[in-house]
Amino acid sequence: MNRETKTALITGASGGIVYELAKLFAQDRHNLVLVARNADKLNQIAAELHGRFGISVKALALDLAAPTAGAILFQQLQRENIAVDCLVNNAGFGGFGEFANMPEEEILGQIQLNVTALTHLTRLFLPGMLSRRRGKTMNIASTAGFQPGPLITVYYATKAYVLSFSEALANEVAGSGVVVCCFCPGATNTGFAKRAGTENSRLFKKIGAMKAEAVARDGYRGLMAGRTLVFRASRIGWWRSRCDLLRERW
């Protein structure tokens, strides 16, 4: 990959919203570094995007829940002289059930992947963006970040962290040429609900889930427009400011 060509690093890139985001980056001639645990799925997507858009795609099968994974990823890209212009922190998962009965490894795993890994990757790649005075970081939270979520308690709490962290960081880097965007999609047709055990919940059954392609398109537009917060939910508009959201809640 050429350092002069823009490169997007996308985590949790084996499907859903970020698969659609990857297509949008590729369409805009970004080379891609895709990271996920499922090597077969990742290689399939990489081959598809390379063949369709003619861009360079690097697929890295890596479990970002491992404490050393972020450093391994960063060091490998440094060795290969790949500068990351856009970082999309998406890797994460949720679990349904009463907190007191949930396995400790599932609780701590959510915090490690949804919070710690995201924070670590941002810390690793942000200084390079700042030194070049250009770059974009999208941290994918959720509409879950705006309220508590009984029976999916830890997931909602981790997304509240991502929202707060991203908004504060966006303020810190304002005027630097670097954009930090927090993308908060609502219920979307992806593999998340099945993994979390919420596919039969009222949210998915009664309210309905959005199409990943449309959700990704709105998030991508917001990122490229330099928005700090992009909010996308069924029957609700997007690109709302935090003040608008707070007024609606009350």
Side-chain angles (χ1 to χ4, degrees), residues 111-182:
I111 296 170
Q112 174 64 34
L113 189 57
N114 301 5
V115 173
T116 306
L118 176 146
T119 306
H120 191 197
L121 287 176
T122 304
R123 175 61 182 83
L124 289 170
F125 289 100
L126 183 62
M129 296 181 188
L130 291 171
S131 67
R132 296 188 295 272
R133 300 198 62 79
R134 62 182 174 87
K136 294 178 173 64
T137 294
M138 172 186 275
N139 292 327
I140 299 185
S142 166
T143 53
F146 294 94
Q147 64 273 313
L151 299 181
I152 190 166
T153 307
V154 177
Y155 175 77
Y156 271 56
T158 62
K159 293 306 178 180
Y161 170 87
V162 174
L163 176 61
S164 178
F165 170 71
S166 301
E167 287 189 298
L169 195 57
N171 181 272
E172 289 185 15
V173 304
S176 68
V178 174
V179 171
V180 175
C181 172
C182 187

Side-chain angles (χ1 to χ4, degrees), residues 49-100:
L49 296 178
H50 172 69
R52 181 174 175 183
F53 298 102
I55 46 91
S56 177
V57 185
K58 186 177 187 64
L60 295 174
L62 194 63
D63 184 1
L64 290 173
T68 59
I72 291 170
L73 173 60
F74 179 72
Q75 290 163 9
Q76 180 170 345
L77 296 185
Q78 278 201 317
R79 285 194 303 270
E80 297 182 19
N81 206 32
I82 298 174
V84 172
D85 301 282
C86 297
L87 169 64
V88 179
N89 277 314
N90 170 74
F93 73 98
F96 183 80
E98 293 184 355
F99 176 79

